[in-house]
Amino acid sequence: MARQAGMTVVVGLVAGLLVLVLLTLGGGYGMMFQMPGGSYRGTPPPLDDEGQALRERLREHVRVLADEIGERHYWRPEALHAAADAIDRAFREAGHQPVRHAVPTQAWVFDNVEVRLPGSGATDEILVIGAHYDTVRGTPGADDNASGVAVLIELARLLGEADLERSLHLVAFVNEEAPFFASEAMGSLAYAREARARGDDIVGMLSLEMLGYYVDAPGSQRHPPLLGHFYPHRGDFVAFVGNLGSRRLVRDAVGAFREHAEMPSEGLAAPELIGDIRRSDHWAFWEVGYPAIMLTDTANFRNPYYHGPHDTHDRLDYETMARLTLALAKAVETLARR
């Protein structure tokens, strides 16, 4: 997950807080915070055989990226290429034929890796699901973002035989992290601009951004200013986050997820000036006018190992990741119907 710094972020945060206060006081509470269905509560049943196998596949994907390959970024190009190759192999093992899209990056060329599941032909509409596979310097990036990539790969496996009306594009993006966030070399921005130039009818994009760290201890969850008044203080939920222009997608995704989820979930549609809601590949799709949302364990607001050397594969909760992946696959099937 990219972090932005400097005066621009400070100004944006202040402006965002002002908008948040005005919306809340002016009756915007329902527009921003109220979501369909109810967040799961209680103790989930044990994983069945399918869930246990999924849990172990998720663990292995993360281990390969975070342990075998390790930190993967522009300054370790061989690792970034190795990560793309590993993702390509995993997609193939899941029964697909991925394609590569070159992303020129200063002295190097890296790749987005994509799998496309065609719709029924009844519509040209497209749903995109993406996760970045690069890291910042100094971290093996298990949660950020091998966890998102692992879920992406397993969604491709689970949805391979699904009856879809909308086409589904699953993309592992390169260069989400600094210094390439918002630059020409940002993989998701290059992808979104090319899609817009072609006239692709993308009706929604879901960015899978840090999905592996869950803690149910009181006080384990922090929030951006003011938002703590509206959300739990136990870090056991997955958050669905979008801007106001993507509010319908946030609500549709949360509602569909909650129909199947055996884990807590929260949703937020907020003013884009609140900088923390922009910190992933969904931002690139906003830039070209597509609705997009982020699914996240909330990064540094929960995970103390964020962007550090101890973001390792052994610290993640693969059982909850498996529950999330199974529910998300069902939710995506729903979203892929017109």
Side-chain angles (χ1 to χ4, degrees):
M1 173 179 277
R3 294 203 73 170
Q4 298 172 327
M7 185 58 68
T8 301
V9 175
V10 174
V11 172
L13 177 59
V14 173
L17 290 175
L18 288 174
V19 173
L20 178 61
V21 170
L22 290 173
L23 279 172
T24 303
L25 294 177
Y29 174 85
M31 180 170 61
M32 293 174 58
F33 303 113
Q34 288 184 342
M35 296 292 146
S39 179
Y40 184 86
R41 293 291 181 263
T43 302
L47 291 174
D48 60 14
D49 290 345
E50 177 190 6
Q52 292 178 37
L54 172 60
R55 178 191 62 201
E56 296 313 308
R57 291 196 303 270
L58 290 165
R59 188 193 310 272
E60 181 62 10
H61 297 319
V62 175
R63 189 195 65 79
V64 168
L65 288 170
D67 189 22
E68 287 191 7
I69 298 173
E71 59 179 281
R72 43 204 181 274
H73 46 67
Y74 178 85
W75 296 273
R76 294 191 72 227
E78 72 289 346
L80 205 49
H81 288 304
D85 291 343
I87 294 164
D88 189 299
R89 287 193 301 272
F91 275 142
R92 292 181 188 278
E93 290 169 2
H96 302 287
Q97 297 297 318
V99 296
R100 304 278 193 109
H101 305 286
V103 182
T105 310
Q106 298 180 9
W108 301 98
V109 176
F110 302 114
D111 291 321
N112 292 332
V113 185
E114 180 181 32
V115 163
R116 294 190 175 186
L117 305 182
S120 64
T123 176
D124 293 329
E125 294 173 347
I126 299 166
L127 186 66
V128 177
I129 305 178
H132 75 89
Y133 64 90
D134 59 310
T135 71
V136 297
R137 281 174 154 179
T139 178
D143 196 22
D144 189 11
N145 187 36
S147 64
V149 174
V151 173
L152 181 76
I153 293 167
E154 289 306 316
L155 287 177
R157 184 189 301 272
L158 292 170
L159 294 167
E161 302 299 325
D163 184 14
L164 309 173
E165 293 184 25
R166 292 168 168 158
S167 295
L168 183 60
H169 296 183
L170 300 106
V171 195
F173 293 119
V174 74
N175 293 345
E176 185 265 0
E177 298 286 6
F180 299 112
F181 190 91
S183 76
E184 296 291 330
M186 183 181 184
S188 55
L189 186 57
Y191 184 96
R193 285 174 173 171
E194 290 170 6
R196 178 56 77 190
R198 288 192 301 266
D200 289 356
D201 188 9
I202 296 176
V203 295
M205 185 272 181
L206 280 64
S207 176
L208 309 181
E209 179 62 78
M210 301 185 64
L211 293 174
Y213 196 84
Y214 302 94
V215 187
D216 62 3
S220 54
Q221 180 69 49
R222 297 179 295 110
H223 302 278
L226 296 185
L227 292 182
H229 295 290
F230 305 100
Y231 294 102
H233 289 267
R234 294 177 185 265
D236 60 353
F237 62 88
V238 62
F240 291 69
V241 181
N243 61 2
L244 294 176
S246 304
R247 175 176 174 269
R248 179 176 178 180
L249 180 60
V250 175
R251 289 179 54 82
D252 287 349
V254 170
F257 182 81
R258 286 177 170 177
E259 289 182 8
H260 306 282
E262 294 178 338
M263 64 172 295
S265 56
E266 301 293 339
L268 171 68
E272 201 170 324
L273 286 172
I274 299 177
D276 286 312
I277 75 166
R278 302 185 301 181
R279 290 166 45 190
S280 190
D281 292 299
H282 60 298
W283 169 87
F285 289 77
W286 293 350
E287 281 294 287
V288 298
Y290 291 127
I293 65 175
M294 170 175 59
L295 279 67
T296 181
D297 63 19
T298 75
N300 52 297
F301 292 102
R302 177 187 306 173
N303 188 339
Y305 310 109
Y306 171 74
H307 278 189
H310 302 298
D311 181 13
T312 52
H313 77 281
D314 56 305
R315 299 186 187 278
L316 303 191
D317 180 348
Y318 296 100
E319 183 150 332
T320 300
M321 284 179 65
R323 297 183 193 283
L324 182 149
T325 305
L326 290 167
L328 186 56
K330 294 293 186 183
V332 170
E333 285 193 67
T334 299
L335 295 175
R337 302 188 190 109
R338 288 189 70 186

